[in-house]
Amino acid sequence: MPSVHILCIISLSFSAVTVDDSGEIRLWNIFVKEKSSDLGMAELLQVFVGQDESKTAQISFIFFPFTPRFTTDKYSNIIAASSKLLHYQPEKIKKEFISPSCIVFSDCNAAILTAVGKSIVKYDVINGGYQCEFDELDNGEISSFCSDGEHGRRLYVGMVNGEIMVVNFSTGQTISKVMVHLREVTNVTVVANKDDPSNGTVFSASSDGCIKALTESGGILTIHFALENALGDIGSDNGSAPITVLKTFPSQSLISAASRNRSWGIWTYAFKRVVNQKEEENISGLEEVEFDGKLSFRNGDVGEYTANMVVIAVCLANCVKIYCVNFITNKLAHSHTLLAPELLYLSKLISLSYPKFNSVNYAATNNPAHLNLENVLIASSGMNYLM
């Protein structure tokens, strides 16, 4: 193992430069947030690679020009002297962080997948480690994707150019692709076919204001139904309102969506409209709430929950509204509103369904009241707040 024979401390930037016997120059971060008697490892920031890769004698002198001509980003080049005069330039070992456009959890594969630019990166859930990357799936960037549910063999990938691709989960190979929308695919989800679980129906929504249903057979997608201008116009000059939220309710064979014009609606799988509702604020989430019992409505009526009803939670800027929808009579009633304790902008809503009382998760419960819970709604904001 090479030994370090030159160490320079740069106090202004809390960094250090080392030179070892092999001639490799490294830049380290030596900033310490808290004083402690414990030893810690310094963080490696840069490795300086020489333009002359030939073996040289031991470096005995280094110099940092710190001039615009010889500086990369905020790091200066290095002039070193041994038997030769060497010029080193910094090369980043860390890439700039790019937030993923979407993320999917695959339960059957115990994996988390994120879409970054044109690639999908896969991580292992057990140890959190990196597994692989499906690089450059297409010419355009990925805007949304989902897996095929309990099988986990395929990915349905929506692109910014309106294409939807079928991708092999294990290898990243593109099985097929079809042009579905005129603009960015904002949401894509799949519903398994009860008669043939290996194939299903793929629902997609786009910034062009359309919702489409595609049948998938043998990896080939075919457009089956199309709902144009699903939730009206956003303005006379801007055309159809972009769809921002898309959810399916397989138990009732229903689909719901929300748009940028503050409207949301529910349709059957064949795109027969059930209800349409306009809100006063932007809609950031739609979730089905499993419910069994009586519902109280704002007008004071108390109604029995039946199999013809679905309870919907609509996430707005600073509250969550609960609606009960009868999809046989096509009627909607507002049950109640969950208000945030302070002024927030809620950006995400999820519904967690509790398992049955005989589930292994409840074998050792100390609180019998937990056994009566059906759902938990969790809303989050951009201020590290959960509700």
Side-chain angles (χ1 to χ4, degrees):
M1 182 176 179
S3 60
V4 175
H5 69 275
I6 296 181
L7 171 64
C8 298
I9 304 297
I10 306 175
S11 58
L12 293 178
S13 60
F14 296 98
S15 56
V17 176
T18 61
V19 182
D20 58 27
D21 298 357
S22 65
E24 186 176 66
I25 302 176
R26 296 190 176 193
L27 176 66
W28 305 83
N29 177 22
I30 59 173
F31 177 75
V32 178
K33 294 182 180 179
E34 298 180 0
K35 293 183 178 180
S36 173
S37 59
D38 297 333
L39 294 177
M41 296 294 293
E43 179 187 6
L44 178 62
L45 298 177
Q46 302 283 329
V47 175
F48 291 82
V49 180
Q51 296 175 349
D52 186 356
E53 298 295 338
S54 61
K55 294 294 182 180
T56 60
Q58 189 179 70
I59 294 175
S60 57
F61 177 80
I62 57 175
F63 173 69
F64 305 93
F66 277 109
T67 60
R69 182 181 174 185
F70 298 107
T71 301
T72 302
D73 196 4
K74 60 180 180 180
Y75 301 104
S76 172
N77 293 9
I78 293 179
I79 306 300
S82 61
S83 59
K84 296 181 179 180
L85 188 63
L86 304 174
H87 183 193
Y88 290 83
Q89 56 186 8
E91 181 177 288
K92 286 191 176 181
I93 62 172
K94 288 187 177 181
K95 303 299 182 181
E96 297 293 337
F97 174 75
I98 302 176
S99 60
S101 57
C102 48
I103 182 170
V104 168
F105 169 62
S106 177
D107 190 5
C108 56
N109 294 287
I112 292 177
L113 299 95
T114 62
V116 181
K118 302 177 182 179
S119 306
I120 292 179
V121 184
K122 191 190 303 184
Y123 300 92
D124 184 80
V125 172
I126 306 301
N127 55 25
Y130 168 88
Q131 284 188 341
C132 63
E133 179 178 356
F134 304 148
D135 194 19
E136 302 292 334
L137 291 177
D138 198 30
N139 295 328
E141 293 189 355
I142 300 170
S143 55
S144 62
F145 72 103
C146 70
S147 65
D148 63 350
E150 60 183 10
H151 298 286
R153 294 193 296 263
R154 299 188 183 107
L155 294 173
Y156 302 95
V157 183
M159 313 297 290
V160 295
N161 61 0
E163 281 186 339
I164 294 181
M165 306 169 58
V166 183
V167 177
N168 185 291
F169 184 94
S170 301
T171 64
Q173 180 183 2
T174 300
I175 300 173
S176 66
K177 61 181 178 180
V178 61
M179 183 62 70
V180 180
H181 295 279
L182 300 176
R183 296 182 183 176
E184 172 189 1
V185 179
T186 55
N187 298 91
V188 58
T189 184
V190 63
V191 178
N193 190 330
K194 297 180 181 178
D195 300 326
D196 185 9
S198 62
N199 297 317
T201 302
V202 179
F203 291 94
S204 66
S206 170
S207 297
D208 60 9
C210 300
I211 303 174
K212 296 190 178 181
L214 301 93
T215 55
E216 189 260 339
S217 179
I220 305 300
L221 291 174
T222 305
I223 299 177
H224 193 54
F225 292 110
L227 181 62
E228 306 288 342
N229 195 19
L231 288 167
D233 297 332
I234 194 172
S236 58
D237 298 330
N238 297 323
S240 300
I243 305 298
T244 55
V245 181
L246 181 69
K247 298 290 291 187
T248 57
F249 309 138
S251 58
Q252 289 87 12
S253 298
L254 297 174
I255 184 171
S256 68
S259 70
R260 197 174 293 172
N261 67 350
R262 303 177 180 178
S263 297
W264 64 274
I266 299 178
W267 301 264
T268 65
Y269 281 176
F271 290 151
K272 178 182 177 182
R273 186 183 298 275
V274 177
V275 293
N276 190 12
Q277 178 72 9
K278 184 83 171 182
E279 302 291 347
E280 297 179 354
E281 299 174 347
N282 292 329
I283 302 169
S284 56
L286 294 170
E287 286 289 341
E288 179 186 11
V289 180
E290 295 181 6
F291 187 82
D292 187 11
K294 293 184 178 181
L295 288 174
S296 59
F297 302 112
R298 294 187 67 184
N299 58 10
D301 296 336
V302 176
E304 291 286 348
Y305 180 82
T306 67
N308 298 330
M309 294 182 180
V310 59
V311 180
I312 303 294
V314 181
C315 185
L316 305 179
N318 58 1
C319 68
V320 178
K321 288 187 176 181
I322 309 297
Y323 291 92
C324 184
V325 179
N326 189 315
F327 52 86
I328 300 299
T329 61
N330 296 346
K331 291 185 178 180
L332 174 146
H334 181 198
S335 174
H336 51 281
T337 301
L338 308 176
L339 295 174
E342 54 184 283
L343 186 60
L344 298 170
Y345 187 87
L346 301 177
S347 58
K348 186 71 174 179
L349 178 71
I350 60 173
S351 175
L352 301 180
S353 299
Y354 273 69
K356 302 301 180 182
F357 69 91
N358 57 354
S359 168
V360 65
N361 296 328
Y362 286 84
T365 181
N366 295 322
N367 190 351
H370 288 172
L371 304 181
N372 298 323
L373 293 174
E374 293 288 341
N375 277 92
V376 172
L377 287 173
I378 300 179
S380 64
S381 73
M383 301 172 65
N384 300 323
Y385 183 88
L386 288 179
M387 166 181 160

